[in-house]
Every structure is written in structure tokens, then in C-alpha cells.
Amino acid sequence: MCYFGTLFFNTIGMKKIFALVFLFLTLAVHAQSEQLANNYFDRGEFEKALLNYDELLKTQPGNFNYFIRTIECFQQLQQYDKAEKALQDRVSKYKQGNTIVELGYNYQLQKDQNKANKFYEDAIDKIAKNPTEVYSIAYQFEKRGLIDYALKAYETGIKVEPKFNFNYQMALLYGQKGDLDTMIDRFLVESFENPQNLVMIQNQLMRFMTEDTTVSFNDSLKKALLLRAQKDQDVFWNEYLSWYYTQTKEYGKAFIQEKSIYKRNPETFANIVNLAQLAIEENESDIAKEILEFVLANTQDLDLQIQSHSYLMEMKIAKATEKEYAAIDAELDNLIKEFGVSPYSLALIKIKAQFATFKLKNPEQGKTILKNALEMPLNKYQLAELKMELGEIFLYEEKFNQALIYYSQVETDMHNDVLGQEASFKTAKTSYFKSDFEWANHQLKVLKSASTQLIANDALDLFLLISDNTVEDSTQVALKKFARADFLLFQNKTTDALAAFQAILKEHKGEPIEPVALLKIGKIYEQQNDFTAALSQYKLILDNHKECIYIDEALYFSAEIYSQLKDTENAKPLYENIIMNHQDSIFFVNAQKRYRQLRGDKDI
């Protein structure tokens, strides 16, 4: 009995296995047939594609995608009568509204617009009778580029079933039509009614804000937001305006909105501190200082206080002259004393170590500060940050191998984190400073696709520098001199670095290294506030190296200097040159903003 029972169940089990194998093989063959049909269609071999789609339809007669592809094959072959018959048969059998749209489109292809419109209206009537058909019918209209009918389909659906919400879909359609004001209105309504869609909507708005080279879209969006903020006192609109001004890099105006939000909800400063950080990154130090001082005046949160003080000290150090170093050193000591030596004050401790090393030329003190900090109970991120700083100090001392040990530890410990990628870049940069260009480029090839755009851009810049100056000079003589000058700049030995870059210009005139050396010299002069000298270096690039990869930087840096000097007439054409001829530049968005400001576009 047991034997036969086992045999029975084994037989049943084998049947199931065979059935599964058969099903798998059938699906695999079916997938291959579909791929073959699609390949024929994409290559324009419509007769072959038609035969394959027809076979696929026999196995799945209800598959709308296969059916539509057969219709498209008929239409490409100008066999409109066959397409019409197939469509009529399917309408009779399935009574689908999207097929009625296709029937109308078949007449439109034959230039019979009256008949086409009749079927389009029939499809709209289907929605009036069965509002759930709005999804497939509107999609089919949109697929055929019939934007007005797609909008009409959505409007009919909402009229019949008011619970339906197609604000997002309709906004996109109005955008395609070029009716940007209505698009904005729809997006803002949807944002307020369904805040869960806010990020998705803002991403769409950002696309228009960056792609539209005129001021019209940005001004229309700002006007719409301001009107809503005036009519409706909901804090939601202040947050939206803050977002808008942040995208256009108008941090002072964003701060006004953030202060308004804070007055009504003094719970968090997170957005305000983030705004200060963005302003710092864009060199808007005055507004950043104003924001941070506001935070310090209004919060008792120790983390926020330390963070704000850290940002303020970094900005102060960046602009300080050597005469101010003693006062800054004392201020740092007082802040560390005030907040204590602990993991919470780590940001201030790191600044103190950097300042001691790079400004006071006392790397031993810097190392002592960081090594003492490593004795504290720290998490892995804090440990990685300190090791990175120690690596920087060993690099400053030209102890390359010890620096690489610390960077490698961070790479290993933070393998899947931005800090790990940053350590990888510092490893590559160290190899570059050592003139080990082959190994540096090996590492930079990987980093060019880093998840962090800043690291990816820096890696690409260094990769191109090495590559461009290796092609014509296999011995890399000029590149070695440049790497050495660059290292002196890293060590904050500005006078020595400037002399080294100037020597390169004399010794390697006309070589690929020339424009990037000019760029480096220009930036040094800028830091020294010698703007006339800086402009002269950038002008040499613009006049003599029009095809080099540094042209957009020379344009932007020159424009920024003229803007700072209030020389609008010289600044405007430089920004305009970037907008018109260098859309792929990392300075493109900033150039747009600066150009609009200089052109005198008025706030609404």
C-alpha cells in the first residue's frame, strides 16, 4: 500500500514538474517571438513585424499592445483599410474606448479629420457613460499627441465622477501645450491638496526652471506662489516660496520665508541651517552669516550652536589675513572651552587642527589635537572624519605613505558611503601629488561615475588634466611641475605656488598645460584680491585657448569678478556666452541667475 501510495504521489509530482518546465519553455519562446517582432518594427521591417505580431495575437487575442502594433504596421504600410477592419472588429468584440480613439486616428492619418473627430467624440462619450474608461482613453489620446482631446477626456471624467483627481496628468499636458500658467496652477493646486506628491511636482517644476532660458517661467511661478501666500496664510506657501528661492539661489529671500515659518513654528532650525550651508557653498557669505547669527540668537540646542559657530569660523578663516590669525586661534580656544572637548564639539576640534596645520604652520599641534580626539567614544563616521583629517596633515608634511594609510582605512571602513568615495579621491590626489599619474588615473576612472556629483566632477577634472598632458609629453615633465605647484597650493604656500605656476608658463609656453596654469594663477590673484591681474590671466585663456576645456571657467570667473566690481557691461556678455555656448557647464545655472539679475529683471 505504501509503495503504490508513494508511486502515485511521485507520479503527480513529476507531472507538476513537467507542466512547470513546459510553461517555462513556452514563456521563453513567447518572449523571444515578442523581441523578434519588436526588433523588426524598430528597424522598419513592418511586413516581417506584422507576421510576428499576428502570431502573438493568436496566442493572446486580448493583448491590446500586440493588437496596436499590428495596426501600426498596417498604417506604416499604408494599408488603412485593413487597419480599419481590424479596429472595427475589435470595437465590436471588446467595446474598448481606446480602440475607438485608434479608429479615429486611422482616419486622421488619411487626412479625413471630420471622421477622425467623430470617433474622438465617441470615445469621450464612452467616458460620460463609464468614467473608469478615462484612464485608457486619455492615455491613448496622449500617446497619439492629441493633447486637447486628452485634456477633454480628463475633464469629462472629473465632471462625471468628481472624486477623480487628474491635476498632475493635466498639468503635464498643459506643459506640453506650452500653456505654462495653467500648468503651474494645476501643479500648485495638486501640491496643496496632496502634499505627498510635492517632491514629484517640484522635480517637474525644476525641469522647467532650468530648461527655460528666458525669465518668463520662473517669474510666472514666483507670481503664482506669492499670490497664494497673500491670499492663504497657510505656512505651506512660505515653505514653497523658500524652496523656489533656494532653487534660484536667492538665499536672502529664502531666509525671509524661513523666518516667517519659524515665527509660526519655532520647533526646528534644520531648514534654516541647511540654507546657510547652501549660501556658504555659493560664496554668499554675508547672507550665510546673517542666517547663522539668527540661529545663534534663537536656539539653545547645543548641536545647532556648535554647527553654526563652526560655519562662522570657517568663513572667518577663509577671509582672514595673517595678522588676524592670533585672534582667530584664541576665539577657537574659547569656543572649545565653552562647549567642552567631546564628540559633540568635534566640528570645532577639526577646525582647530586644520587651522593649526595650514595657517599656523604647526602640523604637530594639529596631529596632537586629532589623536587626542580619537580617544573619545566616537561612532564610525566621526572616526572616519578624524582619520581623513589626519591623512590631510600627513599629506601636508609630505609623508605620503602615512597619509595613504589613513585614507585607505576610511575607504575600507566607509566602503558604501560618500566618505569612502571622498577618501578614494584623496588617495588618487595623493598619487597625483607624488607624480604617480598612472595609478592616479586608474583610481580616477572609477571615481568619474561616483554617486556624489562634486566628487565625480573633481575626479573628471583631474583625470582630464593628467590625460591631456600625457598625450603630447610622454615624459610628463610639465605635468610633474604642475603637480608640484598644485601641492604647494594645497600646503597653503601661496607665494611659492604662484612662482611655480608662473615658471611653468615660461618653460612650457604653447603646451597643453598652459591654459590650466593660467587658470590656477588667476584664482591665486583672486584670493589676493588682485582682480586686475586675475582678469588678465583669464583673458589670455579666452583669447588664446578658445577650444580648451577651461574656457567656461575663464568666462565665469571673469564675469564674477566684473559683477563684484559692479561692472555690469563687461559681466553680462560673459554670462551670456556661457548660457548660449556652454549649456553643459557646471556654471550654466549660476550664469543664468547672474545674467537675469544684471539684466534688471524685476521681482514680482
Side-chain angles (χ1 to χ4, degrees), residues 82-303:
K82 290 183 179 180
E84 181 181 351
K85 185 179 184 309
L87 287 163
Q88 290 282 16
D89 289 345
R90 193 169 183 93
V91 169
S92 299
K93 187 174 182 180
Y94 293 104
K95 298 179 173 52
Q96 293 172 313
N98 51 0
T99 311
I100 296 173
V101 173
E102 285 301 313
L103 194 51
Y105 187 68
N106 195 59
Y107 281 111
Q108 183 169 322
L109 290 174
Q110 298 172 73
K111 312 297 183 188
D112 192 342
Q113 195 62 49
N114 289 332
K115 275 193 178 180
N117 291 344
K118 178 185 178 301
F119 282 105
Y120 295 155
E121 292 297 337
D122 287 346
I124 298 295
D125 289 342
K126 289 275 289 181
I127 298 171
K129 294 170 185 172
N130 182 9
T132 57
E133 286 214 55
V134 65
Y135 300 97
S136 61
I137 291 172
Y139 171 78
Q140 210 62 32
F141 278 131
E142 187 175 351
K143 184 180 176 183
R144 296 305 178 201
L146 302 164
I147 305 303
D148 288 330
Y149 272 109
L151 286 167
K152 191 173 182 180
Y154 284 128
E155 287 162 359
T156 303
I158 294 168
K159 186 177 179 181
V160 178
E161 181 48 78
K163 290 181 182 178
F164 282 165
N165 176 14
F166 300 118
N167 283 321
Y168 184 81
Q169 294 90 330
M170 293 177 76
L172 290 175
L173 290 170
Y174 281 116
Q176 289 180 47
K177 278 187 68 175
D179 187 350
L180 300 182
D181 287 337
T182 308
M183 182 193 78
I184 290 169
D185 182 67
R186 288 279 180 172
F187 272 143
L188 296 187
V189 169
E190 178 64 13
S191 298
F192 188 73
E193 292 179 354
N194 295 290
Q196 70 274 14
N197 295 329
L198 181 61
V199 173
M200 182 171 66
I201 290 166
Q202 288 179 338
N203 286 338
Q204 288 291 342
L205 292 171
M206 281 170 60
R207 184 168 63 84
F208 281 89
M209 291 170 74
T210 54
E211 288 180 0
D212 183 11
T213 55
T214 68
V215 298
S216 58
F217 180 79
N218 286 8
D219 283 351
S220 295
L221 176 56
K222 178 166 61 175
K223 180 179 180 180
L225 287 168
L226 287 168
L227 286 172
R228 279 167 171 76
Q230 290 166 6
K231 290 179 181 177
D232 184 349
Q233 299 302 308
D234 196 299
V235 72
F236 177 85
W237 298 113
N238 298 102
E239 292 169 348
Y240 222 129
L241 275 165
S242 177
W243 168 84
Y244 169 83
Y245 287 127
T246 301
Q247 303 314 307
T248 56
K249 302 183 186 298
E250 297 172 272
Y251 300 113
K253 293 175 183 177
F255 181 43
I256 292 170
Q257 298 302 321
E258 288 297 336
K259 282 194 288 187
S260 179
I261 295 164
Y262 170 76
K263 287 176 184 176
R264 285 184 270 177
N265 181 23
E267 295 294 320
T268 176
F269 277 93
N271 287 343
I272 299 179
V273 174
N274 289 340
L275 185 63
Q277 192 172 9
L278 288 170
I280 292 168
E281 289 171 3
E282 293 295 329
N283 295 316
E284 301 277 358
S285 54
D286 290 342
I287 185 60
K289 183 180 178 184
E290 184 184 346
I291 295 169
L292 292 168
E293 287 175 346
F294 175 83
V295 173
L296 289 172
N298 288 280
T299 185
Q300 298 300 314
D301 185 289
L302 283 180
D303 281 341

Side-chain angles (χ1 to χ4, degrees), residues 355-382:
F355 186 74
T357 302
F358 290 93
K359 298 297 185 182
L360 302 180
K361 313 298 181 187
N362 190 348
E364 286 303 321
Q365 184 187 7
K367 285 190 291 187
T368 300
I369 291 168
L370 293 175
K371 286 179 178 178
N372 288 338
L374 282 172
E375 300 299 318
M376 296 189 295
L378 304 171
N379 61 42
K380 69 173 186 175
Y381 289 96
Q382 293 168 324

Side-chain angles (χ1 to χ4, degrees), residues 73 109 129 142 152 224 319 363 492 565 580 588:
C73 287
L109 290 174
K129 294 170 185 172
E142 187 175 351
K152 191 173 182 180
K319 291 188 173 183
N492 200 34
L565 297 174
M580 300 304 295
F588 178 75

Side-chain angles (χ1 to χ4, degrees), residues 488-504:
L488 291 169
L489 202 56
F490 165 79
Q491 291 178 304
N492 200 34
K493 296 176 180 177
T494 309
T495 304
D496 293 340
L498 180 59
F501 284 124
Q502 287 171 333
I504 290 169

Side-chain angles (χ1 to χ4, degrees), residues 20 59-60 72 80 144 196 246 276 286 308 342 382-383 394 400-401 415 444 460 483 495 509-510 533 555 560:
L20 286 170
T59 61
Q60 293 186 32
E72 289 172 344
Y80 300 114
R144 296 305 178 201
Q196 70 274 14
T246 301
D286 290 342
S308 299
S342 75
Q382 293 168 324
L383 282 169
F394 280 116
F400 298 114
N401 291 336
H415 179 65
L444 293 166
L460 179 60
T495 304
K509 190 170 182 60
L555 286 166
E560 288 287 275

